[in-house]
RNA sequence: GCGGGUGUAGCUCAGUUGGUUAGAGCGCUGGCCUGUCACGCCAGAGGUCGCGGGUUCAAGUCCCGUCACUCGCGCCA
């Protein structure tokens, strides 16, 4: 008989009745009746009930053992009597009559409980992540993640993509997010950077003729966290293809994503491919966002014409000054109490708007301060344009176009939730396409790249030479699911001449571009195929599939919001010897240097003791 | 860096208008219990009410500051 187990805790069944088996696992629960003892033994695969009474030699051992201890139990599989069958668990028809029992590892009293679904504070869960990971939900999330990744790999290789590894220690990139830096021992004063994404490497792979690349790629960005953004590191399904148009990229990745979501949707509906393509301008107008949540049925519309020179002076004056008015429908909201409208108005002010105007289309006519002042025929024309009827309401955002669009987008989401209109149990995909190549920095007035400077402008060189830069679109696209940006991608600019021109428009002289992106430019001067790709975020995909609102629930060992690993104690001070080897002297900020532990346990700041060197 | 929320037993939470010895469930310890499966019953231990200051005869409760966690903004080519 095997030292530890002959079966897993999921395998006990009536067919084994009478056989002697050996199981190892964790004591999930104990039900101690004094002279009769039940133990639920748990492993990765399932749960099996162990039973013994005081006449059994193992009784003293098992009675003493604490939950979450690891035990090895040997005994006979016996069928339960009809009254004692537990239909709630797969192994509930049988139990193991314990003959031998060995405690392989005794557990101390637990800081968080594994059995049950009680909630625990997140810092405690992170400190004892290995216990949290034993719990049903988190354990299942990690298994789901593993299966999703393995299915993604299969789907990509089936389409002719090959997986390659790119460096983790690389060069700091001059654009983008803040880098994580790694000091060089051999080159004093110089640093590696962890890749924010394998962007340049995958383009070089195309230049190197590999045609179709993918990687489950770790990416590192030193940016602050969000519920859907883990600090420090995350994973992308990074891919790139040669000799492709934008539509070719869509056609390659749509079946992968659609297939993955179908495979793990568990009954939830998935947008069939091809996914809707929404131009950026349309997305900003109708949804007030470049990542529209299509589960939200509300559509924003521009209603400026109805207010222009109209009786509602605030909006009329705004329009004269370059503002627009966007309308957000609120179907069925006419019956909402006055307090709801007041609450929304307060909320709007908290979010930086002057307020939130509205018209209530009551059964006996339009109501509210705007309806009181705007001419009757204009109110009616607005109602017709929005397709509203008695019983509905409509809200307004009046501001400069971009601000009005973004605020209308916030209102659209808020109204949807307040009215309970969001579609459930569904994954709604879309592409946002035709992002602008450039935008004007509102502070400086300068023309800047609005996204990736390496994207190919639509119209290529001719567009750059003849068009208003602000009218040029890029072959730049995002894939969005339920309002979550899963990835952005682009057809790349593989032509040095177009790239130099594109940078020139954004105010970078050729010498500076050569200095900053010389490696890429050099590669493109020796025969570069047209290419493009994208990089869907794996953590976010799993988060959506697991139905988790927080990305940490789908990551094995995540850091907390302050980018600390509470289990492994990172970041942490290093020895003087290590610092000397790296030619590093630490210069702490004043508050940390005073010995005050400004954040966390404080050991990161206080213990570095920089001036001993 | 900024704003919102939270902070009471190991954990989840209750705690009235500021008023006697700060409670409950889970967990823990001890006792009882031979068919439970969230076992049940009895008893017990366990508290710097995040921390510091203030107001008051009296503060878990009111005020100020601060720390931690979390959500959002900034940031995220």
């Amino acid at each position: 008989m095997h030292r530890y187990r002959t079966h897993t805790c999921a395998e006990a069944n009536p067919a084994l009745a009478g056989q002697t088996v050996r199981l190892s696992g964790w004591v999930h629960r104990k039900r101690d009746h004094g002279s009769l003892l039940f133990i639920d033994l748990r492993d990765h695969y399932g749960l099996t009930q162990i039973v013994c009474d005081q006449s059994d030699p193992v009784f003293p051992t098992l009675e003493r053992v604490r939950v979450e201890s690891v035990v090895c139990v040997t005994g006979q599989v016996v069928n339960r009597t009809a009254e004692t069958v537990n239909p709630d668990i797969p192994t509930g028809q049988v139990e193991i009559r314990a003959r031998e029992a060995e405690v392989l590892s005794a557990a101390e009293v637990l800081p968080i409980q594994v059995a049950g679904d009680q909630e625990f504070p997140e810092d405690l869960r992170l400190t004892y992540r290995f216990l949290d990971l034993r719990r049903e939900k988190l354990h299942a999330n990690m298994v789901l993640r593993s299966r999703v990744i393995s299915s993604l790999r299969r789907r990509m290789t089936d389409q002719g993509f090959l997986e390659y590894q790119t460096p983790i220690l690389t060069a700091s990139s001059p654009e983008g997010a803040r880098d994580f830096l790694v000091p060089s021992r051999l080159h004093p004063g110089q640093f590696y950077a962890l890749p924010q994404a394998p962007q340049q490497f995958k383009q070089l792979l195309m230049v190197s003729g590999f045609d179709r690349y993918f990687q489950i790629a770790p990416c590192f960005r030193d940016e602050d966290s969000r519920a859907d953004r883990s600090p420090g590191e995350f994973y992308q399904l990074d891919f790139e293809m040669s000799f492709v148009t934008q539509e070719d990229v869509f056609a390659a990745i749509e079946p992968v994503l659609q297939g993955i979501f179908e495979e793990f949707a568990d009954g939830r509906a998935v947008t069939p491919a091809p996914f809707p393509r929404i131009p950026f301008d349309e997305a900003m107008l109708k949804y007030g966002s470049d990542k529209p949540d299509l589960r939200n049925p509300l559509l924003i519309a521009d209603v400026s014409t109805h207010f222009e020179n109209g009786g509602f002076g605030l909006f009329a004056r705004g329009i004269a000054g370059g503002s627009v008015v966007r309308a957000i429908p609120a179907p069925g909201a006419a019956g909402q109490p006055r307090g709801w409208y007041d609450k929304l108005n307060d909320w709007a002010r908290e979010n930086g708007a002057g307020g939130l105007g509205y018209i209530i289309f009551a059964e006996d006519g339009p109501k509210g301060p705007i309806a009181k002042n705007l001419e009757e025929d204009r109110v009616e024309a607005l109602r017709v344009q929005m397709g509203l009827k008695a019983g509905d309401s409509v809200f307004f955002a009046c501001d400069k176009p971009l601000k009005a669009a973004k605020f209308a987008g916030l209102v659209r989401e808020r109204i949807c939730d307040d009215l309970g209109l969001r579609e459930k149990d569904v994954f709604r995909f879309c592409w946002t396409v035709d992002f602008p190549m450039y935008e004007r920095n509102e502070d400086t007035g300068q023309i800047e790249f609005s996204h990736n400077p390496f994207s190919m402008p639509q119209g290529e060189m001719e567009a750059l030479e003849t068009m208003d830069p602000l009218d040029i679109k890029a072959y730049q696209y995002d894939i969005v699911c339920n309002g979550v940006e899963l990835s952005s991608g682009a057809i790349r600019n593989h032509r040095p001449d177009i790239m130099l021109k594109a940078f020139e428009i954004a105010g970078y002289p050729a010498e500076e571009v050569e200095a900053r992106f010389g490696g890429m430019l050099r590669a493109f001067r020796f025969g570069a195929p047209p290419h493009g790709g994208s990089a869907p975020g794996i953590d976010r995909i799993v988060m959506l599939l697991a139905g988790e609102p927080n990305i940490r629930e789908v990551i094995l060992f995540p850091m907390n919001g302050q980018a600390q690993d509470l289990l492994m104690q990172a970041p942490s001070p290093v020895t003087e010897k290590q610092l000397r080897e790296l030619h590093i002297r630490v210069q702490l900020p004043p508050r940390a240097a005073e010995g005050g532990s400004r954040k966390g346990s404080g050991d990161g700041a206080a213990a570095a003791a920089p001036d001993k060197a």
Side-chain angles (χ1 to χ4, degrees), chain A residues 377-388:
Chain A
D377 56 330
R378 285 171 177 261
V379 173
E380 176 60 14
L382 193 155
R383 186 193 66 76
V384 170
Q385 184 198 335
M386 297 301 294
L388 298 171

Side-chain angles (χ1 to χ4, degrees), chain A residues 63-370:
Chain A
E63 196 190 28
R64 266 200 318 274
V65 76
R66 185 142 42 210
V67 290
E68 291 310 310
S69 296
V70 176
V71 298
C72 177
V73 175
T74 310
Q76 197 176 39
V77 180
V78 297
N79 281 318
R80 299 200 203 179
T81 62
E83 319 85 71
T84 61
V85 162
N86 182 354
D88 297 331
I89 61 172
T91 61
Q93 283 188 285
V94 297
E95 61 194 2
I96 311 296
R97 186 83 198 191
R99 292 237 178 79
E100 299 170 34
E102 180 186 0
V103 177
L104 300 175
S105 173
E108 296 178 9
V109 174
L110 301 167
I112 65 175
Q113 288 157 242
V114 173
D117 52 8
Q118 193 183 327
E119 289 186 27
F120 296 95
E122 189 148 24
D123 44 354
L124 202 62
R125 292 177 54 204
L126 291 173
T127 304
Y128 296 94
R129 191 65 168 178
F130 48 89
L131 291 178
D132 204 17
L133 287 166
R134 288 182 199 170
R135 308 183 82 210
E136 195 173 2
K137 179 65 179 162
L138 214 45
H139 204 85
N141 284 354
M142 300 312 150
V143 171
L144 171 68
R145 183 185 176 112
S146 176
R147 292 193 172 137
V148 165
I149 288 175
S150 133
S151 180
L152 284 173
R153 279 209 163 92
R154 193 175 62 249
R155 289 167 190 278
M156 293 302 282
T157 51
D158 284 353
Q159 288 210 56
F161 289 89
L162 298 182
E163 184 166 15
Y164 303 95
Q165 284 73 50
T166 52
I168 300 298
L169 289 175
T170 179
S172 176
S173 62
E175 299 285 325
R178 204 175 290 115
D179 284 315
F180 281 102
L181 297 176
V182 180
S184 164
R185 172 179 59 86
L186 296 175
H187 301 278
Q190 300 190 33
F191 294 81
Y192 304 93
L194 306 184
Q196 296 181 22
Q199 181 65 36
Q200 296 193 47
F201 290 114
K202 72 174 173 179
Q203 293 194 239
L204 290 170
L205 281 169
M206 296 301 101
V207 175
S208 308
F210 287 100
D211 202 67
R212 290 190 155 203
Y213 143 91
F214 88 100
Q215 181 178 201
I216 308 296
C219 304
F220 305 90
R221 297 179 191 174
D222 188 2
E223 292 301 330
D224 289 344
S225 73
R226 290 287 184 277
D228 65 352
R229 198 166 82 206
S230 188
E233 57 190 79
F234 60 97
Y235 283 81
Q236 290 181 337
L237 171 62
D238 192 44
F239 72 95
E240 195 77 3
M241 317 160 67
S242 287
F243 305 112
V244 290
T245 64
Q246 180 169 297
E247 280 301 320
D248 293 328
V249 176
F250 291 1
I253 199 64
E254 271 178 351
V256 173
L257 289 177
Q258 215 273 341
I260 267 288
F261 274 78
E262 287 280 2
E263 181 178 353
F264 297 100
D266 198 19
R268 292 164 287 185
V270 184
T271 305
F275 301 151
R277 284 106 209 242
I278 305 175
F280 173 84
D281 291 340
E282 182 185 334
M284 293 309 291
L285 176 64
K286 288 188 179 171
Y287 306 99
S289 168
D290 60 359
K291 42 182 180 178
D293 187 346
L294 299 185
R295 295 174 303 169
N296 178 341
L298 305 178
L299 291 179
I300 302 163
D302 190 288
V303 293
S304 306
T305 53
H306 306 302
F307 286 97
E308 197 170 4
N309 301 315
F312 189 66
L314 183 66
F315 285 4
R317 284 191 300 278
I319 291 165
S323 288
V324 295
V325 181
R326 297 287 159 81
I328 307 96
Q336 292 283 339
R338 173 63 188 271
W340 183 66
Y341 291 90
D342 292 344
K343 206 172 59 191
L344 281 170
N345 196 53
D346 294 343
W347 167 83
R349 286 171 185 276
E350 284 165 19
N351 283 277
L356 188 56
Y358 55 89
I359 295 174
I360 301 171
F361 294 103
E363 297 296 338
D364 54 346
K367 293 278 184 317
I370 291 177

Side-chain angles (χ1 to χ4, degrees), chain A residues 541-561:
Chain A
I541 289 174
V542 179
M543 189 176 152
L544 285 170
L545 287 171
E548 292 285 0
N550 191 301
I551 204 162
R552 292 184 293 275
E553 303 299 315
V554 298
I555 297 174
L556 276 171
F557 300 105
M559 297 199 279
N560 69 5

